[in-house]
Amino acid sequence: MREKEYDRSSAVAYARRWALDRNPAFYNFEAIGGDCTNFASQCLFAGAGTMNFTKTTGWYYRSASDRTASWTGVEYLFDFLVGNRSAGPFAAEVRLPEALPGDLVQLGARGGSFYHTPVITAVFPEILVAAHTFDALDRPLSSYFFENIRFLHIAGVRTL
């Protein structure tokens, strides 16, 4: 297995292109629970170029009915990224100053239940994000209401 750099500029370019629209290659999950993590996964894939086709615990999308929970579920994506030792992107939970464009933010309620996954599009002069469900492009992170937050720094990508 080889490691390569995560292409942050491609992830951000994808986020900017599709934040206010829908890529027809992917199902829109908005009507059945939300599309934010699906969109975040699409951005990740644009920057990683590699999926993990491990059934159940991997991270992939072939169709709305052939995908892993980590492609569309906030907590499942977190678990995949911080625990991934195989193919695909991997991440570390970091503090705000370590977050970069192309990284992910997860917003949550008090007690740790996370419910939203925006993609960071800029970090200066403040954190700006792109997201689906409540579509946003370059929305200030400070404009969201949340009680809990975590930043996922995409550290790299493993390929077979």
Side-chain angles (χ1 to χ4, degrees):
M1 185 133 340
R2 296 175 326 168
E3 284 190 15
K4 68 176 189 173
E5 246 182 81
Y6 174 60
D7 186 347
R8 295 177 179 286
S9 62
S10 291
V12 171
Y14 186 97
R16 290 185 184 287
R17 165 61 184 93
W18 294 106
L20 304 178
D21 202 357
R22 299 297 183 270
N23 182 338
F26 296 92
Y27 183 80
N28 178 1
F29 292 89
E30 194 165 314
I32 55 172
D35 199 55
C36 68
T37 304
N38 175 42
F39 175 67
S41 285
Q42 292 173 42
C43 296
L44 276 174
F45 182 62
T50 302
M51 293 183 190
N52 180 317
F53 290 97
T54 306
K55 207 70 165 155
T56 309
T57 61
W59 174 76
Y60 68 87
Y61 177 97
R62 290 186 182 114
S63 70
S65 60
D66 187 7
R67 62 180 164 79
T68 52
S70 60
W71 190 271
T72 53
V74 176
E75 294 288 353
Y76 294 106
L77 179 59
F78 175 84
D79 290 344
F80 171 78
L81 288 171
V82 299
N84 184 26
R85 304 288 179 259
S86 188
F90 57 95
E93 188 175 352
V94 297
R95 294 184 5 249
L96 170 64
E98 300 165 86
L100 296 172
D103 286 342
L104 306 181
V105 180
Q106 291 191 322
L107 306 178
R110 187 171 317 196
S113 175
F114 289 87
Y115 53 78
H116 192 46
T117 309
V119 177
I120 298 174
T121 56
V123 295
F124 185 80
E126 64 181 311
I127 298 280
L128 301 178
V129 298
H132 274 188
T133 302
F134 301 105
D135 292 2
L137 175 59
D138 291 333
R139 179 177 171 177
L141 183 59
S142 61
S143 72
Y144 283 90
F145 174 78
F146 54 88
E147 295 174 319
N148 206 352
I149 190 168
R150 61 188 176 199
F151 296 90
L152 289 169
H153 174 71
I154 311 304
V157 180
R158 293 188 188 92
T159 60
L160 299 175

